[in-house]
Amino acid sequence: MFKQGTPSSHFICVTSGLTKIYIEGYGKNLILALVKPVDYIFGPGVYLDNKHYYSASAVEDTTACLVDTSIFKKLIRSNPDFAEDFIKRTSAQTLFNFEQVISLTQKQMHGRIADALFYLSEKIYCTNPFNMTISRQDLADISGMSKESAIRILKEFKEEGILTVDGNIFEILNIKQLKQISETG
Amino acid sequence: MFKQGTPSSHFICVTSGLTKIYIEGYGKNLILALVKPVDYIFGPGVYLDNKHYYSASAVEDTTACLVDTSIFKKLIRSNPDFAEDFIKRTSAQTLFNFEQVISLTQKQMHGRIADALFYLSEKIYCTNPFNMTISRQDLADISGMSKESAIRILKEFKEEGILTVDGNIFEILNIKQLKQISETG
DNA sequence: ATCCTTGATTGATATATGTCAATGGTCAAA
DNA sequence: TTTGACCATTGACATATATCAATCAAGGAT
């Protein structure tokens, strides 16, 4: 959909499908979030230099509509309720980033995969047996590890009866134990 | 100054000294930023649930003044320029967080210490031979590693002539090489 | 001066994690 | 059916990094 470093003149509203937004780092990508309908993609560059500071690409067939950022900015200036709501949203986003950073920097792989699984099940697909439409590489890019490592952790979870994987259908069997793993790092 | 999880009813303006803001994670801390005069401490909780989502404590003797958040919120609603400026600041903050996350998750220790040294020299102390007023543990908490590892990397940099350390006076001798290390991870 | 606390440093060791290479499965195009 | 491309999986191995324990240096208080 767009690449890090390119000019950004619109903000994007995803109306169907699923999109990943990710930073292209040193040889690997870090997925910041998955965006599902109806949610917005609005990067920090909009109020700075009108560049994208992350890339976005569809992981499922996705439709979206674009809104010129100048319209958005006018709305912010003219409507205090809108501005306040926007600040609330970005605050929540920041909070989410905090949790993510702590997970990525202070937990080991098992805890990070656990967090990613909960993110997918609770926040993205919103069901428990859920259909993984993202690749193992994407899962690894969410959890900040190599895809081989991610696969190995999944295998361990399967062996311990925490998880079943049938094709791309994932089911978390033992939520409590997985929460435990998330907590203890 | 305040602890993660406590209620936050004011925003803080640091008028002298140096303060670290950090997240208390699983057994270790992650320093998000150092705050020097004159800058503000304004967490994401202010517009959500009025709680602090990170802790702050002084690393040098620090004075600060407090402003009730309700005053701040009124200003946001009544003054579009102020609101826009605030959004710009938080955008810049978000951008900085992005760089930080990439550094922490995709670079190895040498690159992360290099980044931390540049942060201290260029953004915080703003001189090149600079007086490290933070501890090695703090340096480690900025770079997301154990203090022993941080010390070892510093030692290597000294041996390679990139850095001199005299007491708490640090001088980056070979900026170009250190940039190189930051780039190559 | 001596003690005591705190932070810095060093070494030895364990382990978490990445890398590389090989294999297998699946699906679509020819 | 066969081929090829792509993704998932597995194993063997190298190495980055944390942990633990010990030592050392510098002040402050008694």
Side-chain angles (χ1 to χ4, degrees):
Chain A
M1 294 173 71
F2 59 81
K3 275 282 175 189
Q4 193 170 321
T6 60
S8 81
S9 53
H10 296 75
F11 91 106
I12 294 175
C13 178
V14 173
T15 52
S16 77
L18 190 63
T19 294
K20 62 178 172 184
I21 58 181
Y22 59 99
I23 298 179
E24 304 183 34
Y26 299 83
K28 19 156 80 172
N29 296 332
L30 176 69
I31 294 183
L32 293 176
L34 298 173
V35 182
K36 60 170 189 172
V38 180
D39 219 338
Y40 312 107
I41 300 177
F42 190 88
V46 170
Y47 268 95
L48 297 172
D49 56 3
N50 281 302
K51 280 200 193 131
H52 288 296
Y53 282 93
Y54 47 68
S55 302
S57 76
V59 290
E60 300 171 15
D61 287 342
T62 296
T63 57
C65 63
L66 307 180
V67 179
D68 198 285
T69 49
S70 65
I71 295 175
F72 180 85
K73 286 187 183 178
K74 270 181 207 151
L75 218 46
I76 289 280
R77 291 188 67 89
S78 61
N79 186 339
D81 285 333
F82 186 79
E84 203 163 64
D85 184 66
F86 173 72
I87 294 175
K88 275 184 196 166
R89 280 169 185 270
T90 52
S91 292
Q93 184 63 40
T94 301
L95 218 57
F96 176 74
N97 288 342
F98 282 1
E99 285 171 26
Q100 206 179 14
V101 179
I102 291 299
S103 176
L104 288 173
T105 58
Q106 302 197 348
K107 293 183 184 180
Q108 21 195 95
M109 296 196 297
H110 297 256
R112 306 208 299 268
I113 289 287
D115 288 342
L117 289 173
F118 282 125
Y119 175 64
L120 292 168
S121 169
E122 294 174 0
K123 302 279 177 63
I124 300 303
Y125 300 118
C126 302
T127 54
N128 189 350
F130 58 91
N131 183 14
M132 271 284 275
T133 52
I134 67 172
S135 69
R136 303 303 148 102
Q137 183 64 62
D138 287 334
L139 177 64
D141 288 344
I142 291 175
S143 348
M145 64 185 71
S146 71
K147 81 171 173 305
E148 291 93 334
S149 291
I151 288 168
R152 269 182 263 263
I153 308 292
L154 287 180
K155 190 185 173 192
E156 284 186 48
F157 285 174
K158 282 186 275 184
E159 285 166 357
E160 292 171 37
I162 299 174
L163 191 71
T164 53
V165 178
D166 179 19
N168 278 324
I169 307 297
F170 279 53
E171 177 167 13
I172 302 173
L173 296 178
N174 195 333
I175 293 181
K176 190 174 279 183
Q177 194 178 353
L178 197 58
K179 281 280 178 209
Q180 174 79 8
I181 290 170
S182 163
E183 293 293 330
T184 56
Chain B
M1 293 172 71
F2 59 80
K3 276 284 177 189
Q4 194 171 318
T6 60
S8 80
S9 52
H10 295 75
F11 91 106
I12 294 175
C13 177
V14 174
T15 50
S16 78
L18 190 64
T19 294
K20 62 178 173 183
I21 58 182
Y22 59 99
I23 299 178
E24 305 183 35
Y26 298 83
K28 21 157 80 170
N29 296 333
L30 176 68
I31 294 182
L32 294 175
L34 298 174
V35 183
K36 61 171 188 171
V38 179
D39 218 340
Y40 312 108
I41 299 177
F42 190 89
V46 170
Y47 268 95
L48 297 172
D49 56 5
N50 279 304
K51 279 200 192 133
H52 288 295
Y53 282 93
Y54 47 69
S55 302
S57 75
V59 291
E60 300 171 16
D61 287 343
T62 296
T63 57
C65 63
L66 307 178
V67 180
D68 197 286
T69 49
S70 65
I71 295 176
F72 180 85
K73 287 186 183 178
K74 271 181 205 150
L75 216 46
I76 288 280
R77 291 187 68 89
S78 61
N79 185 340
D81 286 332
F82 186 79
E84 204 163 64
D85 184 68
F86 173 71
I87 294 175
K88 275 184 196 163
R89 280 169 184 270
T90 52
S91 293
Q93 183 62 41
T94 300
L95 217 58
F96 176 73
N97 288 340
F98 282 2
E99 286 170 26
Q100 206 179 15
V101 179
I102 292 299
S103 175
L104 288 173
T105 58
Q106 301 197 348
K107 293 182 184 180
Q108 15 194 103
M109 295 195 298
H110 297 255
R112 305 208 300 270
I113 289 286
D115 288 343
L117 290 172
F118 282 125
Y119 174 64
L120 292 167
S121 169
E122 294 174 359
K123 302 280 176 63
I124 300 304
Y125 300 118
C126 302
T127 54
N128 187 354
F130 57 91
N131 183 13
M132 271 284 274
T133 53
I134 66 172
S135 69
R136 304 303 149 101
Q137 182 65 61
D138 287 335
L139 177 64
D141 288 344
I142 291 175
S143 346
M145 65 185 70
S146 70
K147 80 172 173 303
E148 292 93 334
S149 291
I151 288 167
R152 268 182 262 264
I153 308 291
L154 287 180
K155 190 185 173 191
E156 284 186 46
F157 285 175
K158 281 186 275 183
E159 284 166 358
E160 292 171 37
I162 299 173
L163 191 72
T164 53
V165 178
D166 179 20
N168 279 324
I169 307 296
F170 280 53
E171 177 166 14
I172 302 172
L173 296 178
N174 195 333
I175 293 180
K176 190 174 277 183
Q177 193 178 352
L178 197 59
K179 280 279 179 211
Q180 174 79 8
I181 290 171
S182 162
E183 292 293 329
T184 57

